[in-house]
Amino acid sequence: MTSKQVKPSRKTIYLIRHGDCRQDDVKRYIGQVDLPLNQMGVRQALSLAHAMMDIPLDRIYCSDLRRSYDMARIISGERHTVICQKPELREINLGMWDGLAIEEICKCYPEEYKKRGADLIRFRPPGGESFHDLAARIIPLFNDFLEASGEHILIVGHAGVNRII
């Protein structure tokens, strides 16, 4: 190997979604509304913590929303790994739709709902961001994670964030 060649390093990234945070049985758009894990979500986190207990974690990243941080905290368990909250890892901003029932959105915003179905990537709910906007927020941060030190990285994300990654 010449002095200009760099030996590639191995990096394992564990990408998970926070546990269940539903507060009722109504199907809702949950973006940046700050919900905690519910009892099922805590059980899911404990189960995953048990499954991952022998996996070394050099870095743990999560969003600053409670459901993501609580999941990261439970999984970290007795490790001394610092949990780094990154607001950029927040779920997609759904603006005025955040927390609303899907049925209510269909009723109150029928044209916008149709536009969303026609162009999911570029559609922005009123006051929110598109998946294209989300990608512009997430991809540079993920590239930073790839460059960060540590071989084993845990990212506790959200459904939209994880889809982008």
Side-chain angles (χ1 to χ4, degrees), residues 99-115:
L100 295 181
I102 293 174
E103 184 177 305
E104 185 177 353
I105 292 168
C106 291
K107 181 180 175 184
C108 296
Y109 302 94
E111 291 305 312
E112 290 90 344
Y113 189 77
K114 286 179 191 173
K115 288 178 183 177

Side-chain angles (χ1 to χ4, degrees), residues 13-20 37 39-57 60-61 67-68 70-79 153-157 162:
I13 297 179
Y14 301 92
L15 181 63
I16 65 165
R17 181 181 179 261
H18 60 78
D20 198 328
L37 295 175
Q39 288 180 351
M40 180 186 293
V42 170
R43 286 192 304 271
Q44 291 167 335
L46 290 168
S47 177
L48 195 51
H50 179 74
M52 296 183 75
M53 75 176 143
D54 293 330
I55 297 172
L57 296 174
I60 300 175
Y61 298 102
R67 59 194 184 265
S68 177
D70 289 346
M71 189 80 171
R73 183 182 47 76
I74 292 168
I75 292 171
S76 72
E78 300 298 316
R79 294 178 175 95
I153 296 174
L154 171 65
I155 301 172
V156 182
N162 291 1

Side-chain angles (χ1 to χ4, degrees), residues 1-7:
M1 183 169 16
T2 67
S3 61
K4 291 187 179 184
Q5 291 176 321
V6 177
K7 183 180 177 187

Side-chain angles (χ1 to χ4, degrees), residues 94-137:
L94 295 171
M96 294 174 60
W97 290 13
D98 205 348
L100 295 181
I102 293 174
E103 184 177 305
E104 185 177 353
I105 292 168
C106 291
K107 181 180 175 184
C108 296
Y109 302 94
E111 291 305 312
E112 290 90 344
Y113 189 77
K114 286 179 191 173
K115 288 178 183 177
R116 180 183 186 273
D119 187 4
L120 187 61
I121 301 299
R122 299 215 181 264
F123 175 79
R124 286 185 187 99
E129 66 184 339
S130 68
F131 277 99
H132 185 266
D133 299 330
L134 179 62
R137 173 163 50 93

